[in-house]
Structure formats: C-alpha cells, structure tokens
Amino acid sequence: MTDTAFSINGVPLQQAVLQGIDAIAAACAGTDPIALFAAIDAYTKPVLRQTLCTVNRFDAQRIAVVRLYSSDPVAYPPGGSKEKAGTRWGQHVLLDRRVYVGEGVEAIRASFDDHAAILALGLKSVINVPVVAHDVCLGTLNLLMPTDRIDGGMIAFARLAGLLAVPGFLALAR
C-alpha cells in the first residue's frame, strides 16, 4: 500500500502531515503560544485520531495543572485547573516526567477524577506527555482517543508533539 492510500479529508496522509509541519513552523515564528498548541493538535490528529487535546501548564508550587488550550472548550475550557498533589498520575507525569499511557475505561477511571466527563465524550485512552525544558517540567500535552488501545508508534509520535510544544511554554514564561 502506498502513502496515497491513506487520506485525511481527501488529502494524502503524507501531504497532511507536511502541511501540519508548515503550520507548526508558522506558529513558532509568531507570538501566540495558543496558536502553536492548536497547530500541534491539528498535526497529531491524522496520526493519533484524538478527539480531545489539552495543554496544561504545571504549577510546581501547588502540584497542579492549569489548562491553557483545549480542542473542546465547552467540555474542558481553558483556565480550568486540577490539583495533582499526592496522586500517582502527578508523581508519574509531573514529578518523574514520564509519559503516561492509559488504555481502556478502567485506566481512565483509575487515573482521573473527572473520568465521568472523559467517558461521556466517548474517550477510552490517553497519552499524557510531560513537556520538559532545561530540566524542568513546564506542563503537559494530553491526547485522548476513542480507541481502547495505543501502540508504540502513537506514543513516539505523541512524545515528538510534546517536544514541539516547548517553544509555546517558553514564550508564556517570558
């Protein structure tokens, strides 16, 4: 099968990914970090097929996250926050700076206080990527999918997307 066998809205997958890179480059050159996060969301969608993408800033003093970007601002509006002190997820992602992969409804229930809202959106898996620069966790890129399973290629792609988010966080810190 060739790359042209896969398409997004009639655009071959390879072309869609390349257009996504152009959009990310343009957003990095601009001054709006939220535009960069939206470009990353659009870039990852053809590959990961997430239906919810959020980007959170890490408040290390409170061990909490504050939402900066959401692909669904009605269900998950920017500005919302979650306390993560004393949680396994907070330790794993924010303090240990490791990617969290949750597969299936039980993983969602076990890891998130707002599991009912997540499940109501039909979401059954998640990849949470810590966004790290200069040995500091700046925040997280959160990609939630309706599929039950996540493969290694999806995790690697999500990690790359987390790296692409670094300039947005650094711009916010100025």
Side-chain angles (χ1 to χ4, degrees), residues 5 23 32 36 47 59 102 106 131 150:
D32 182 3
L36 174 60
V47 175
D59 180 340
E106 288 310 312
V131 178
I150 294 170

Side-chain angles (χ1 to χ4, degrees), residues 109-134:
R109 281 194 183 113
S111 298
F112 302 105
D113 291 339
D114 60 338
H115 56 82
I118 293 169
L119 297 173
L121 293 172
L123 303 169
K124 300 177 191 167
S125 62
V126 62
I127 305 172
N128 301 116
V129 180
V131 178
V132 179
H134 308 292

Side-chain angles (χ1 to χ4, degrees), residues 40-94:
I40 292 167
D41 180 20
Y43 176 67
T44 57
K45 195 168 291 209
V47 175
L48 300 178
R49 294 179 170 38
Q50 78 272 10
T51 54
L52 177 62
C53 174
T54 63
V55 176
N56 297 330
R57 181 181 57 80
F58 177 41
D59 180 340
Q61 289 185 329
R62 291 182 25 228
I63 313 295
V65 292
V66 178
R67 196 171 308 108
L68 301 172
Y69 168 81
S70 175
S71 63
D72 185 346
V74 173
Y76 284 92
S81 66
K82 296 180 182 181
E83 300 297 321
K84 295 298 182 179
T87 67
R88 279 192 271 176
W89 185 94
Q91 180 67 46
H92 185 92
V93 177
L94 302 171

